[in-house]
Each structure stands twice: as structure tokens, then as C-alpha cells.
Amino acid sequence: MKKKVCDFAGPIIVGAGPSGFAVAACFKSRGIESLILERAHCAASLWRLKTYDRLRLHLPKSFCELPLMPFPAALPRYPTKRQFLSYLDAYAVEFGLRPRFGVAVVSAERDASAGLWRLRADSGEEFTSRWLVVATGENAEPAVPRIPGMPSFLGPVLHTSAYRSGEAYRGKRVLVVGCGNSGMEVALDLCDYNAIPTIVVRDTWLPVRTVDRLLLIVARLVLGDTARLGLPRPKLGPLELKSLTGKTPVLDVGTLANIKSGYIKVRPAIKRITEKGAEFVNGRIEEFDVIVLATGYKSNVPRWLKESDLFSEEDGLPRKPFPNGWKGQNGLYAVGFTKRGLLGASLDAVRIAQDVELCLQGRE
């Protein structure tokens, strides 16, 4: 059987999430047609299929809008999951973005003799192009830590990608592993459904929003000493934290009040998981019915991209830090890997479209 090959004249984008949409729209605005390949059967599959119901954007909407189209003015400062998905659907209509769904790229490598990137899909199809834009992002796969004893636990263990709401956990003792925004919001959601959550805190945490060192002082005055609740104070302000680690500062959505009141319990790092619960590093042993892993996501680029100059084979992220990690060699680009959320992806999308346009004009 003859292999089906699609020789595409414009750039090929792998990933139909917000980052892929952003760069495709920037191409479209310059008269450049692109082909978007997406393994799922819908756009923004992480947002649409693997996020909890109460999720909102963790940054104000002005920092999360994609290029060339602002959010509707009527939306709140922090849009809900549903509102953000409606925005993405409208964005696709506005720029005529029509991804090829159900196409999982299993390998992509440079064909030096042809001067092309050659992509192979799990369906057996093959695609070629001068330009390859990797838009699968930092959050392509759930990051599941190896915790001693985890296989022995007799209850359900799930990642937040499989958590929707606390409805299914009424009256259950739930251990939430991870204290970022997802962990805090899941703990609060469990409280709202009368579950009994306990959250594991390893890193320092404090709800801070927009300014840096000053807010650490102000937060101390407003919230008091959170360390006595098991929440150590951070040494870095939110802007420096985001810049150095890519972590979004935790926003207080009501979780702190529930911790103060005792509805949400805080525990230190886990030493091991037992059949019926967990032992913590302070020697305390407790029983739980369910474990929820709020442990984030990771890139899957090393699994399918046969290239190691732009992307690190270790973590699947660009080797060069922002703002220099968007461009590789021979027409290879990265969008959505800046550790600066949608704003960083938008900035890179504009740069990529400009660069390809210069190539087409023979000026690059």
C-alpha cells in the first residue's frame, strides 16, 4: 500500500491549543496558510477535557488574550474555563482556523537532502514542510511523581487531569498532593462538596498577585503568619518567582480561610504511601480514601521530535531561556514553552510569523 504523503507549502503546526491557534492566526494575518495537526478530536483538549469545572484563568484576562483579538469587555477580570473556551472557539472562527483532528504525530525529523521537515502520524500519513512549529506546549502530559508505596494504596489515585469536581468525593478523606494553584483550588472544591481534604505542602506558598517584594510585606500584614498553618512564607516575590521558575504565584481563592478554620488540613512532605493512607516526614500516619495528584504537567517533545539543538532531551523545553527559545535551525520553531503563560506564547507567535514571512520574501 502506497504511503500517503502531504507536501504542504506553508508551515506545519503541531498542536491545536491556544499557542498553536496564536501562531496560526499570526500567519493568517500575513497571508500565510498553515496546517495545524492535533492528536485529540477537539481544539484546546487540555482545557476542554482535562481541567476541573471551577477553573479560571490564574492571571487577569489582559495578560491572557491571544494576538489580534482581545477578550470581550463584558468578561470578568479572571474568565472561567467555559468563557475561555468560548473565546478560543470564536478566535478559530475569526481567523478561519481548521485543524486536522485525530492526527497524532509520532515522529518529526529533518530531511536534509530535501530541505524539509518530515512528520509521520500514527495513521501512517506523512507530512512535509519547510517549517515546523512545535506547539504542543509545556503541559502535554500529566507529571506523575514516584512516591514510595504508591502501588500499595487500596483506594483511587488520580491526577488533576482526571478530576472534575468534588461531587464524587462527598464525605471522603482526600489527600491532595501539590500546593500550587490547582492543589489549592481542588482542596477548596472538595470543601464545597463536604469532602475532608488534606493538602501536602512542600514548597513555600502565599497568595500574592501583581507586585513583587512589596506584596510579601503587605500579605504578611493582611494574612498574618501563614507558617503557623503549615504554609511557609516564600522568599521570592511573584514576578521573580515566575521569571526564575515559570511557576504562577498561588492566588487565594478562599482556601486560606478554610485552612484557618480547620476544614482543610495541611501536612508536610510524604515519606511513603501506605495501603490505607500516608506517612509524612514528621512521622505522622493518617488514613485516606482517595489521593489526588496536583503535580502539574510536562512536555512530550523528546518522544517524537528527532532534534536536540532547540529542545532539551531531558525536559522537552527549549534550551535557551525566554525570550530566545522560540527559534531553532532549518525552519524549526517553538511556541508555548516560555514558562510565561499565554502572554509568552503570544509574543513568540508574533516573532515566528514575522520570521517565516521574511523567509518567504527571501530576506532571511
Side-chain angles (χ1 to χ4, degrees):
M1 184 176 176
K2 190 175 181 180
K3 186 186 298 182
K4 184 179 178 182
V5 180
C6 172
D7 298 313
F8 195 73
I12 293 179
I13 302 167
V14 181
S19 298
F21 273 13
V23 72
C26 289
F27 283 142
K28 205 68 172 282
S29 71
R30 289 168 168 77
I32 302 170
E33 291 296 325
S34 60
L35 173 63
I36 308 173
L37 303 179
E38 168 58 46
R39 63 180 177 176
H41 293 277
C42 62
S45 61
L46 176 65
W47 277 86
R48 208 175 297 271
L49 305 176
K50 298 180 180 180
T51 53
Y52 42 91
D53 295 341
R54 72 179 299 138
L55 179 64
R56 287 177 176 266
L57 292 179
H58 291 147
L59 292 173
K61 63 182 181 181
S62 58
F63 292 97
C64 299
E65 61 190 27
L66 301 185
L68 308 170
M69 183 174 150
F71 280 98
L75 289 188
R77 183 174 173 82
Y78 296 92
T80 65
K81 167 184 173 177
R82 182 175 297 178
Q83 290 168 334
F84 181 61
L85 286 171
S86 294
Y87 167 76
L88 289 180
D89 290 341
Y91 193 84
V93 171
E94 175 70 19
F95 295 102
L97 308 181
R98 300 179 182 85
R100 281 278 312 275
F101 293 120
V103 179
V105 175
V106 294
S107 73
E109 57 188 323
R110 176 76 175 169
D111 184 340
S113 62
L116 300 170
W117 286 94
R118 196 172 298 278
L119 291 73
R120 295 178 178 85
D122 59 354
S123 62
E125 289 181 276
E126 190 170 290
F127 303 84
T128 64
S129 173
R130 285 178 60 191
W131 303 279
L132 171 59
V133 182
V134 179
T136 49
E138 305 157 359
N139 302 320
E141 307 282 351
V144 179
R146 294 182 179 178
I147 302 176
M150 183 72 82
S152 68
F153 184 66
L154 299 177
V157 178
L158 65 149
H159 188 268
T160 47
S161 58
Y163 178 96
R164 296 296 170 266
S165 82
E167 175 66 41
Y169 308 105
R170 290 182 182 274
K172 301 288 187 181
R173 299 163 297 181
V174 184
L175 179 64
V176 181
V177 181
C179 58
N181 278 304
S182 295
M184 291 294 179
E185 288 183 347
V186 165
L188 179 61
D189 191 59
L190 289 164
C191 268
D192 289 347
Y193 285 95
N194 296 317
I196 307 164
T198 296
I199 192 163
V200 174
V201 174
R202 294 186 305 165
D203 301 320
T204 55
W205 174 87
L206 197 66
V208 286
R209 289 179 183 261
T210 54
V211 297
D212 210 1
R213 300 278 182 178
L214 177 61
L215 257 190
L216 297 182
I217 300 172
V218 174
R220 173 61 184 259
L221 295 174
V222 173
L223 300 173
D225 182 12
T226 59
R228 64 185 176 82
L229 303 173
L231 305 173
R233 289 172 53 79
K235 295 181 175 66
L236 300 177
L239 302 182
E240 191 175 1
L241 177 71
K242 185 68 175 175
S243 176
L244 292 177
T245 69
K247 295 180 181 179
T248 301
V250 174
L251 308 180
D252 182 25
V253 289
T255 310
L256 186 61
N258 282 281
I259 291 173
K260 285 183 174 180
S261 65
Y263 290 115
I264 297 175
K265 297 178 177 62
V266 177
R267 298 291 180 259
I270 296 171
K271 181 178 180 180
R272 66 184 179 95
I273 298 296
T274 65
E275 287 188 354
K276 296 184 178 180
E279 179 182 354
F280 302 97
V281 291
N282 61 1
R284 186 173 189 139
I285 299 175
E286 294 185 46
E287 293 188 355
F288 298 98
D289 302 303
V290 182
I291 297 176
V292 177
L293 301 173
T295 47
Y297 294 83
K298 61 183 179 180
S299 166
N300 68 358
V301 172
R303 199 168 69 219
W304 58 271
L305 181 63
K306 313 305 178 186
E307 186 274 349
S308 58
D309 291 328
L310 178 59
F311 286 93
S312 165
E313 294 173 301
E314 184 177 341
D315 60 11
L317 301 177
R319 294 182 182 279
K320 295 180 181 178
F322 179 83
N324 301 311
W326 61 276
K327 183 179 179 180
Q329 298 180 5
N330 302 312
L332 179 64
Y333 301 95
V335 61
F337 295 89
T338 65
K339 295 187 177 182
R340 282 162 176 77
L342 295 169
L343 178 60
S346 295
L347 293 172
D348 281 354
V350 173
R351 294 186 183 104
I352 292 168
Q354 289 174 339
D355 198 65
V356 172
E357 184 179 40
L358 288 175
C359 289
L360 288 168
Q361 294 171 351
R363 293 159 54 192
E364 179 67 22

